Amino acid sequence: MISIEFENTSGRSLYMQIYDHIKKDMAEGRILQGEKLPSIRKLAGMLGVSITTVRMAYDQLMVEGYLESRPQSGFYATPGFEGENSAAAGASYDQPVTLTQVEEQSGRVMCDPDSFDFVKWKKCMASVLNDTPELLLSEGDRQGEPALRSEIAAYLFRSRGVVCEPDQVVISAGTQQLITHVARILKVMGIGHVCTEEPGYVPVRNIFRDWGFSLSSIPVRKDGIEIEKLPMNIRTAVYVSPQNQFPTGAVMPIGRRRQILKWAEDNDSIIIEDDYDSELRYFGMPVPALQGLDGGRRVVYTGSFTSTLFPAVRISYMVLPHDMADIYQTMKMNYDQTCSKTEQLTLALFMQRGYYSTNLRKVRNLYSHKQREVLSAIRDFGEDGLITAENTQSGINMILKADVSRIDGDVSDAASRMTSAAADLGIRLREVEQLSGDGKLYLILYYNQIPSEEIRNSVQKLLSALICELR
């Protein structure tokens, strides 16, 4: 009989703990050569974990030759495997990641396999490799490939009303690297004070802190950052996400947008606009970008392809006002380009051929359907509002709010118990500590990772598990 006491603080995923235990039992003779192991479903029930978790452990053991799967029969310890001493068998080390481990509960955001057309992507990459291989024999442009910058500039004007030229576009691997460039430019401009949203995107705040900026945290309300609390008569940069504020989901209406632009004008200041998922808005039309309303004079516009392509591509961009772009030109040769030239040229072709726009429509339809299914499952579950959904206008996730004030007993570790219960079901939850408090817990549910046909059943199982952890 396989019995495992999981170590929740070990840092090792559940499937790797199962893998370690079975491998050690085989090495020490508790599982004999040729012995039949429990089915995936049966072992999942015995251990109280998800079927996916057990399947991943078995897959890894089969890849390494410890188990074999016999059709219509089950899983068996491989005849002839060589035992190892107990010290070696008990050693804990990471195995190479296999393709069967894409659902690993590792904290990485994954997208639905149906959300991207890799066939068209491969065609574009093949065109780059076959038709223009000479372009790959030199280093990439420090600012980003001109072909991609041109496509981004044209696309942003059509879709978001962003006014720019390719020379104002800077490409990098991730928003955080772009913000580091912005910090360098602000230092040259003599701006030493930065305001960030509270609650907000912590990594950006940390970057400015590490660069020695003085910081102010400005509260966020239902219509965005409290503009009235921004400093007056001090040259400042403010970081905002007006389309879908993270993590509250607040949207800044047009009147407030004009108000913050006037504040920037009156105080000779800069707005850093993070437009990270405006393309995935499911209700109504996207709200115009601040950059377009401003004419590109005082707004640094940032965006990313992570949610609309696939996370591994790691291509992000920003649009700089002309004076900041001029400063960037004086320093860009000091810093290498962090994005693959091949991927940049592939994406340029992907956009040029219209594939990006086509895929974006597909993604919107897919994720809006998933969101409706999640909301329907939550609504039908009942429990009198003990768990409700927030931030449901756009993006690839939503906030679950749990009213722990209605629960008797100790709730100090409720968030940890709830995220662990979700992980056992193969669902990713993450607490938003900036919001949690006053008798409420806020957890991000990444519904984009759940297959469409499993959403309703999975969400209701999740809610049942969360309720159990609260009672």
Side-chain angles (χ1 to χ4, degrees):
M1 178 178 178
I2 299 175
S3 177
I4 303 173
E5 292 186 8
F6 291 109
E7 299 178 11
N8 294 326
T9 60
S10 70
R12 260 172 102 72
S13 59
L14 296 181
Y15 94 88
M16 286 302 294
Q17 292 186 53
I18 297 172
Y19 158 87
D20 290 337
H21 184 90
I22 294 176
K23 185 177 175 183
K24 184 176 181 180
D25 279 358
M26 295 173 71
E28 296 180 353
R30 287 186 290 274
I31 296 177
L32 302 178
Q33 298 178 20
E35 181 178 337
K36 185 177 181 179
L37 274 68
S39 69
I40 290 175
R41 185 175 297 276
K42 183 176 180 180
L43 184 56
M46 291 165 55
L47 299 179
V49 299
S50 69
I51 291 174
T52 299
T53 298
V54 176
R55 180 183 294 117
M56 290 163 60
Y58 275 20
D59 283 348
Q60 185 62 39
L61 289 164
M62 286 191 292
V63 166
E64 297 183 24
Y66 289 96
L67 291 187
E68 64 179 5
S69 175
R70 300 178 187 174
Q72 309 301 318
S73 181
F75 296 91
Y76 293 82
T78 305
F81 75 81
E82 296 183 1
E84 305 162 71
N85 62 49
S86 59
S92 176
Y93 57 92
D94 291 330
Q95 300 297 325
V97 177
T98 68
L99 293 178
T100 60
Q101 296 170 13
V102 295
E103 294 181 279
E104 178 184 354
Q105 299 164 11
S106 61
R108 294 189 296 267
V109 176
M110 296 175 288
C111 60
D112 190 309
D114 292 333
S115 69
F116 189 71
D117 190 340
F118 280 99
V119 173
K120 290 186 174 67
W121 182 262
K122 286 189 290 185
K123 287 181 179 178
C124 292
M125 183 168 283
S127 294
V128 171
L129 296 173
N130 295 330
D131 301 339
T132 56
E134 67 280 0
L135 297 178
L136 305 179
L137 300 178
S138 59
E139 291 185 359
D141 191 300
R142 303 293 177 98
Q143 187 170 342
E145 294 308 303
L148 180 56
R149 289 192 278 117
S150 294
E151 290 296 329
I152 289 173
Y155 177 78
L156 289 178
F157 180 74
R158 294 194 306 270
S159 66
R160 303 293 294 119
V162 171
V163 180
C164 68
E165 299 171 356
D167 285 347
Q168 295 173 255
V169 178
V170 179
I171 296 169
S172 191
T175 300
Q176 294 180 40
Q177 295 203 12
L178 292 172
I179 294 301
T180 300
H181 285 317
V182 173
R184 296 184 180 108
I185 295 170
L186 292 177
K187 286 288 187 180
V188 174
M189 296 173 67
I191 296 177
H193 186 233
V194 173
C195 295
T196 59
E197 297 168 320
E198 179 60 41
Y201 187 45
V202 175
V204 165
R205 181 179 180 85
N206 291 342
I207 290 170
F208 286 121
R209 179 202 63 204
D210 294 344
W211 271 83
F213 287 84
S214 60
L215 299 172
S216 296
S217 297
I218 309 298
V220 172
R221 60 193 195 190
K222 63 180 181 180
D223 58 0
I225 195 169
E226 291 193 33
I227 302 167
E228 297 79 6
K229 294 186 178 180
L230 291 172
M232 304 295 289
N233 303 316
I234 300 175
R235 203 174 185 208
T236 302
V238 59
Y239 178 89
V240 295
S241 45
Q243 275 64 254
N244 179 28
Q245 200 276 336
F246 178 85
T248 68
V251 177
M252 188 182 290
I254 188 66
R256 299 285 289 175
R257 289 167 185 256
R258 296 196 184 282
Q259 188 176 341
I260 196 172
L261 290 173
K262 186 176 188 308
W263 166 85
E265 182 71 29
D266 291 346
N267 293 278
D268 193 19
S269 294
I270 296 295
I271 299 170
I272 305 166
E273 177 182 17
D274 188 346
D275 202 15
Y276 68 98
D277 70 354
S278 64
E279 303 286 17
L280 298 180
R281 185 167 180 81
Y282 309 130
F283 301 96
M285 296 295 291
V287 184
L290 284 171
Q291 198 272 0
L293 294 175
D294 173 59
R297 295 179 300 114
R298 294 191 174 275
V299 178
V300 176
Y301 179 91
T302 69
S304 173
F305 291 100
T306 300
S307 296
T308 54
L309 292 176
F310 50 97
V313 77
R314 297 295 295 164
I315 297 179
S316 296
Y317 56 86
M318 67 179 173
V319 177
L320 296 170
H322 283 290
D323 57 340
M324 296 179 72
D326 290 342
I327 296 172
Y328 173 76
Q329 292 297 326
T330 68
M331 63 176 62
K332 71 176 184 179
M333 296 309 295
N334 296 326
Y335 306 100
D336 289 336
Q337 173 56 249
T338 53
C339 280
S340 160
K341 184 175 184 178
T342 305
E343 289 186 346
Q344 288 187 62
L345 294 173
T346 299
L347 177 54
L349 205 54
F350 195 76
M351 298 178 77
Q352 185 183 99
R353 293 179 177 179
Y355 296 155
Y356 179 71
S357 296
T358 300
N359 197 78
L360 183 57
R361 289 193 293 271
K362 177 181 178 181
V363 169
R364 285 186 185 132
N365 290 335
L366 174 65
Y367 289 157
S368 63
H369 168 74
K370 287 190 173 193
Q371 188 189 74
R372 289 193 301 271
E373 287 293 298
V374 173
L375 293 174
S376 174
I378 294 173
R379 182 177 60 251
D380 294 345
F381 185 75
E383 287 294 338
D384 193 27
L386 188 60
I387 296 178
T388 56
E390 297 190 346
N391 190 11
T392 59
Q393 298 298 310
S394 61
I396 58 176
N397 55 59
M398 68 177 63
I399 300 288
L400 296 184
K401 181 172 70 174
D403 188 356
V404 294
S405 66
R406 297 163 54 186
I407 306 301
D408 295 329
D410 182 16
V411 296
S412 59
D413 64 343
S416 176
R417 298 199 312 269
M418 293 168 79
T419 54
S420 294
D424 288 342
L425 294 170
I427 298 173
R428 186 185 175 205
L429 279 185
R430 180 166 66 86
E431 182 186 9
V432 186
E433 295 182 1
Q434 295 166 288
L435 292 178
S436 295
D438 298 327
K440 304 290 191 300
L441 280 178
Y442 295 82
L443 304 119
I444 299 179
L445 167 63
Y446 292 90
Y447 62 81
N448 66 310
Q449 300 174 19
I450 308 174
S452 295
E453 66 275 9
E454 299 177 16
I455 281 185
R456 189 171 187 81
N457 186 45
S458 295
V459 170
Q460 296 209 334
K461 283 184 178 179
L462 171 66
L463 295 175
S464 295
L466 298 186
I467 295 295
C468 287
E469 294 299 333
L470 286 173
R471 288 180 170 168

